[in-house]
């Protein structure tokens, strides 16, 4: 397969950079749009492997860095702290919508994508954003499949005491365990979540979306406990399925830099490719 093709979009105040992984040949291919999680990026850990696997199975994969993630192509650190500070759920949803619109307009690789067979994939926070997008107009009617790994069931993840300090100081600092970076979040992030509780209700979105949905979750996930998958599953309208990965953690054992697939990641990859092929290439 050819190397991924870089692209850049403007969906808001900052540009969005992405990579397009295409299968071999010239025929139009079904498309999977991939959304990374909080503090993640499109080249983190398992994402290149996921993209290569799906492209080898005949699917085009569009992965991108959220414009508020603060990570530029080729980097593995947050270099734009101002972007990270203001990275709201609303901003992320605008990015997902912008990428989907670009795919449907056939602008990324004219003639090589088949937007009538379109899927969303999201990990962690990206899973929540993918779910919200899948439940929204016009994507509720257009998506052929949805897959989430370790998806959050709520964006409201900070305790009341920390919120009080956040309001007092104007900043909440998170630490990247991998790099040790201290990453600031501004009040706009908190105000966005608290001001849009109904719009960002992920259990309501689970009931509203129509695309066949597969949840994949590690039973030993310390970051997003498996009960969140259970809550989403209980609220979800059919068709939906949940694959629980025994001993799987938040990334199914994957690290960055990537050190190869673990048994848990292999299980997640296998069930994901089967689900996507089933719904994007029915009978194929």
């Amino acid at each position: 397969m050819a190397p991924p093709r870089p692209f850049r979009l403007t969906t808001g105040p900052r540009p969005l950079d992405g990579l397009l992984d295409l299968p071999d040949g010239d025929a139009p291919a079904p498309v999977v749009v991939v959304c990374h999680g909080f503090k993640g990026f499109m080249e983190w850990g398992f994402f290149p492997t996921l993209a290569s696997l799906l492209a080898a199975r005949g699917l085009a994969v569009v992965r991108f860095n959220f414009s508020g993630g603060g990570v530029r192509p080729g980097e593995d650190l947050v270099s734009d702290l101002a972007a990270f500070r203001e990275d709201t759920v609303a901003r992320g949803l605008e990015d997902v919508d912008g990428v989907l619109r670009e795919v449907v307009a056939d602008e990324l690789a004219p003639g090589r994508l088949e937007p009538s067979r379109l899927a969303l994939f999201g990990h962690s926070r990206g899973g929540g954003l993918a779910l919200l997008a899948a439940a929204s107009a016009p994507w509720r009617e257009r998506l052929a499949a949805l897959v989430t790994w370790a998806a959050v069931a709520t964006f409201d993840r900070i305790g009341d005491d920390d919120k009080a300090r956040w309001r007092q100081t104007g900043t909440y600092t998170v630490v990247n365990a991998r790099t040790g970076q201290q990453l600031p979040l501004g009040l706009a992030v908190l105000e966005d979540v608290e001001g849009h509780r109904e719009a960002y209700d992920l259990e309501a979105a689970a009931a509203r979306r129509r695309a066949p949905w597969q949840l994949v979750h590690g039973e030993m996930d310390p970051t997003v406990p498996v009960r969140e998958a259970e809550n989403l599953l209980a609220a979800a309208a059919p068709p939906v399925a949940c694959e629980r990965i025994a001993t799987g953690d938040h990334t199914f054992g994957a690290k960055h830099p990537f050190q190869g697939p673990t048994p848990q990641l292999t299980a997640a990859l296998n069930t994901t490719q089967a689900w996507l092929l089933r719904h994007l290439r029915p009978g194929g």
Side-chain angles (χ1 to χ4, degrees):
M1 287 181 295
R5 298 185 186 183
F7 66 86
R8 171 171 280 194
L9 306 178
T10 301
T11 62
R14 291 181 172 85
L16 174 156
D17 291 292
L19 293 170
L20 172 62
D21 296 81
L22 289 170
D24 291 335
D26 297 321
V31 189
V32 183
V33 173
V34 173
C35 307
H36 67 74
F38 184 59
K39 296 182 289 184
F41 48 97
M42 64 183 174
E43 295 164 288
W44 184 93
F46 54 60
F47 287 114
T49 296
L50 171 68
S52 295
L53 173 67
L54 296 180
R57 300 295 184 268
L59 307 179
V61 180
V62 178
R63 47 195 168 110
F64 63 95
N65 286 342
F66 281 98
S67 62
V71 180
R72 299 185 176 94
E75 297 180 339
D76 63 0
L77 296 172
V78 175
S79 57
D80 189 343
L81 292 175
F84 188 91
R85 180 181 178 86
E86 304 302 321
D87 188 22
T88 61
V89 173
R91 174 75 252 138
L93 286 172
E94 289 175 2
D95 285 348
V96 177
D97 183 74
V99 172
L100 289 171
R101 290 182 183 278
E102 195 78 1
V103 169
V104 168
D106 199 21
E107 297 291 343
L108 294 181
R112 290 301 316 277
L113 305 182
E114 190 175 0
S116 63
R117 294 194 282 181
L118 177 62
L120 267 175
F121 172 100
H123 175 246
S124 192
R125 179 181 184 266
L129 291 171
L131 174 57
L132 282 183
S136 69
W139 311 116
R140 182 168 176 260
E141 309 298 334
R142 300 199 65 157
L143 289 180
L146 171 68
V147 176
T148 58
W149 285 9
V152 297
T154 176
F155 294 110
D156 190 353
R157 313 191 69 78
I158 307 299
D160 289 342
D161 289 345
D162 284 335
K163 285 180 182 177
R165 285 189 289 271
W166 194 348
R167 292 187 183 93
Q168 183 178 20
T169 64
T171 300
Y172 179 76
T173 301
V174 296
V175 178
N176 187 319
R178 176 178 61 87
T179 66
Q181 272 190 295
Q182 295 193 16
L183 304 170
L185 294 172
L187 266 180
V189 178
L190 176 61
E191 291 168 351
D192 179 55
V193 169
E194 294 193 329
H196 298 88
R197 292 192 184 279
E198 184 175 346
Y200 297 164
D201 185 333
L202 290 169
E203 292 184 25
R208 196 166 62 245
R209 58 122 268 295
R210 293 182 177 176
W213 178 20
Q214 183 181 58
L215 298 92
V216 183
H217 214 106
E219 293 187 340
M220 305 298 290
D221 188 337
T223 305
V224 181
V226 71
R227 68 175 178 272
E228 297 197 36
E230 294 166 350
N231 292 343
L232 291 173
L233 181 64
V240 63
C242 184
E243 185 76 16
R244 294 169 62 131
I245 307 295
T247 73
D249 61 12
H250 192 56
T251 61
F252 308 102
K255 307 291 184 185
H256 186 85
F258 193 59
Q259 300 169 11
T262 63
Q264 296 88 349
L265 180 60
T266 297
L269 291 168
N270 285 343
T271 193
T272 293
Q273 67 170 318
W275 185 268
L276 290 171
L277 290 171
R278 173 185 170 189
H279 294 287
L280 293 178
R281 289 192 177 279

